[in-house]
């Protein structure tokens, strides 16, 4: 069976869903949109394995701009949702003076160690004995109910007429004279624009489409919810090492922990490695008074990025109608609404907006 659309989006994670919602909500464009997802459920891979924290001070300047705009857009729509998406939860870096100084930027303020200990008593005295003596605090950081946000984008997309096809793995993509033909599952879709929102599989989709790759590389990132004898207070910040060696925060069921690893991987349904969690638990127990117990559940996602660490967003410079929406790295949720807004403007031809939007479009452009 063959269907015709204006835009076919490949990938049903936060990137693809938020773009589908943005395009479907544009009454001027009135586009026919089809979203295809290989798995039988949306947001199956990295988007379902998030730390659920949006941190305005996290990442380079372009990421911080996208985060600020994403938070603004979410807050503008939050009253329409059945439950809140954002909840206050500050973010605290700890480490040596040099490590914290290198990472503290944007909304983050330097914090005396004594004040850091008041916010999270579990890090004293063992952490200081291991060389942790500096901190930075971002009080603008928030927790994110990613399930509510994903469902909001799905609902908005479908309300605007988007057809969502799950269990429809893309097996062929070819450029016809005036459109693309995408074979997904048992169906073929003809569309003027193909959006590559395939996450860790973005470069593989490019190869399948006869398009030059962008150097996408997936990296493992594991997290687990564990029991603990001394769980931080409900209003405690998320705590992360400034050298990117761990983070932890209170969770509804106990304590969320991560070794914050950045280990190269092939595109796959990544799974936790017990030895990584064992090493992390031993380290945290040596430098905190958390008293970590058993692992309740664990997961591993893939953070895909190119060499400069920024997302790749925009039409391919050589392949007409092939649009990149990939390489979000660890910034997927916190940049999603802003990138969807930018992408929708580029696809519909309404442009990137003001000078700030044009600058971001150039910074994220495919083939840069």
């Amino acid at each position: 069976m063959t269907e015709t659309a204006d835009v076919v989006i490949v990938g049903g994670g936060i990137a693809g869903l938020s773009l589908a919602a943005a395009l479907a909500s544009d009454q001027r464009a009135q586009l026919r949109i089809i979203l295809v997802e290989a798995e039988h459920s949306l947001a199956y891979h990295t988007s379902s394995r998030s730390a659920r924290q949006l941190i305005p001070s996290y990442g380079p300047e372009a990421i911080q701009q996208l985060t600020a705009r994403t938070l603004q857009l979410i807050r503008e729509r939050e009253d329409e949702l059945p439950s809140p998406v954002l909840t206050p939860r500050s973010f605290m870096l700890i480490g040596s003076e040099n490590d914290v100084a290198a990472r503290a930027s944007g909304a983050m303020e330097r914090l005396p160690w004594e004040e850091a200990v008041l916010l999270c008593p579990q890090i004293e005295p063992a952490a200081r004995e291991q060389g942790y003596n500096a901190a930075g605090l971002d009080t603008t950081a928030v927790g994110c109910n990613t399930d509510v946000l994903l469902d909001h984008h799905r609902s908005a997309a479908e309300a605007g007429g988007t057809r969502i096809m799950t269990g429809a793995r893309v097996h062929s993509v070819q450029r016809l004279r005036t459109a693309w033909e995408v074979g997904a599952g048992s169906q073929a879709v003809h569309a003027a624009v193909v959006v590559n929102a395939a996450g860790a599989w973005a470069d593989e989709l490019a190869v399948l489409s006869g398009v030059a790759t962008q150097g996408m590389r997936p990296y493992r990132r594991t997290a687990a919810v564990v029991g603990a004898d001394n769980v931080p207070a409900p209003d405690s910040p998320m705590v992360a090492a400034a050298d990117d060696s761990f983070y932890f925060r209170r969770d509804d069921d106990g304590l969320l922990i991560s070794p914050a690893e950045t280990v190269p991987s092939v595109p796959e349904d990544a799974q936790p490695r017990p030895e990584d969690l064992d090493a992390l638990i031993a380290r945290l127990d040596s430098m905190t008074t958390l008293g970590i117990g058993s692992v309740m559940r664990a997961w591993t996602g893939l953070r895909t990025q190119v060499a400069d660490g920024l997302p790749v967003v925009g039409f391919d410079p050589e392949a007409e109608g092939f649009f990149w929406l990939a390489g979000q790295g660890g910034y997927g949720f916190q940049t999603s609404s802003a990138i969807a807004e930018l992408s929708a403007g580029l696809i519909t031809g309404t442009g990137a907006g003001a000078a700030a939007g044009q600058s971001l479009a150039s910074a994220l452009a495919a083939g840069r």
Side-chain angles (χ1 to χ4, degrees):
M1 179 177 177
T2 301
E3 296 200 39
T4 301
D6 297 298
V7 180
V8 58
I9 300 171
V10 181
I14 182 60
L17 282 172
S18 57
L19 175 60
L23 289 171
S25 301
D26 187 342
Q27 298 300 316
R28 299 165 300 173
Q30 295 186 326
L31 298 175
R32 167 71 173 150
I33 305 156
I34 295 178
L35 183 148
V36 296
E37 164 57 44
E39 305 296 344
H40 289 279
S41 59
L42 296 170
Y44 175 82
H45 290 285
T46 300
S47 293
S48 66
R49 308 173 194 190
S50 168
R52 302 187 172 211
Q53 182 88 6
L54 309 187
I55 309 166
S57 60
Y58 182 42
E61 182 179 352
I63 295 299
Q64 293 185 22
Q65 291 179 40
L66 291 164
T67 301
R69 179 59 178 161
T70 294
L71 289 170
Q72 179 185 352
L73 290 169
I74 292 174
R75 288 181 172 122
E76 288 174 356
R77 299 163 188 165
E78 206 163 18
D79 289 344
E80 308 166 10
L81 305 181
S83 56
V85 174
L86 307 177
T87 54
R89 184 167 62 221
S90 57
F91 173 78
M92 186 165 70
L93 277 179
I94 61 172
S96 67
E97 287 284 353
N98 288 340
D99 285 343
V100 171
R103 286 283 307 278
S105 64
M108 179 166 287
E109 299 179 358
R110 295 297 300 275
L111 197 68
W113 182 253
E114 292 72 20
E115 292 186 26
V117 171
L118 291 176
L119 291 172
C120 185
Q122 291 82 359
I123 60 176
E124 180 75 3
R128 187 159 193 166
E129 292 170 356
Q130 295 186 26
Y132 290 80
N133 57 11
L137 184 68
D138 184 351
T139 58
T140 66
V142 290
C144 178
N145 189 328
T146 56
D147 293 338
V148 172
L149 187 59
L150 286 163
D151 190 62
H152 164 65
H153 289 313
R154 179 196 58 76
S155 297
E158 291 183 327
T162 299
R163 183 179 176 200
I164 296 176
M165 298 163 48
T166 56
R169 185 174 300 277
V170 172
H171 52 78
S172 64
V173 186
Q174 60 178 324
R175 177 69 185 173
L176 305 179
R177 203 164 52 165
T178 59
W180 291 87
E181 182 180 80
V182 178
S186 61
Q187 294 191 271
V189 180
H190 284 187
V193 175
V194 173
V195 176
N196 183 354
W201 288 265
D203 266 355
E204 290 193 357
L205 180 64
V207 171
L208 187 64
S209 308
V211 175
T213 60
Q214 296 286 314
M216 298 283 170
R217 189 67 186 268
Y219 295 90
R220 294 171 54 86
R221 178 62 56 92
T222 298
V225 174
V226 298
D229 296 332
N230 189 14
V231 177
D235 59 350
S236 292
M238 177 175 176
V239 177
D243 64 359
D244 289 323
S245 58
F246 67 82
Y247 63 74
F248 65 84
R249 67 164 174 81
R250 184 186 178 99
D251 185 80
D252 291 341
D253 300 327
L255 185 74
L256 176 72
I257 63 173
S258 173
E261 81 273 35
T262 304
V263 178
S265 172
V266 297
E268 65 177 355
D269 183 5
Q271 299 298 316
R273 296 171 178 169
E275 62 271 23
D276 292 342
L277 290 173
D278 291 344
L280 171 63
I281 291 170
R283 181 174 185 192
L284 289 176
D285 276 343
S286 76
M287 59 172 291
T288 71
T289 60
L290 290 166
I292 296 174
S294 61
V295 175
M296 300 177 187
R297 62 183 187 277
W299 60 91
T300 299
L302 296 179
R303 302 152 62 96
T304 303
Q305 62 189 59
V306 296
D308 66 7
L310 294 179
V312 179
V313 179
F315 282 106
D316 189 275
E318 303 294 335
E320 182 181 357
F322 191 91
F323 192 94
W324 288 87
L325 181 57
Q328 291 88 345
Y331 311 117
F333 275 98
Q334 73 176 50
T335 63
S336 57
S337 295
I339 287 181
E341 179 183 57
L342 174 64
S343 300
L346 294 172
I347 290 169
T348 60
T350 57
Q358 295 169 8
S359 175
L360 280 172
S362 296
L364 308 183
R368 60 182 181 266

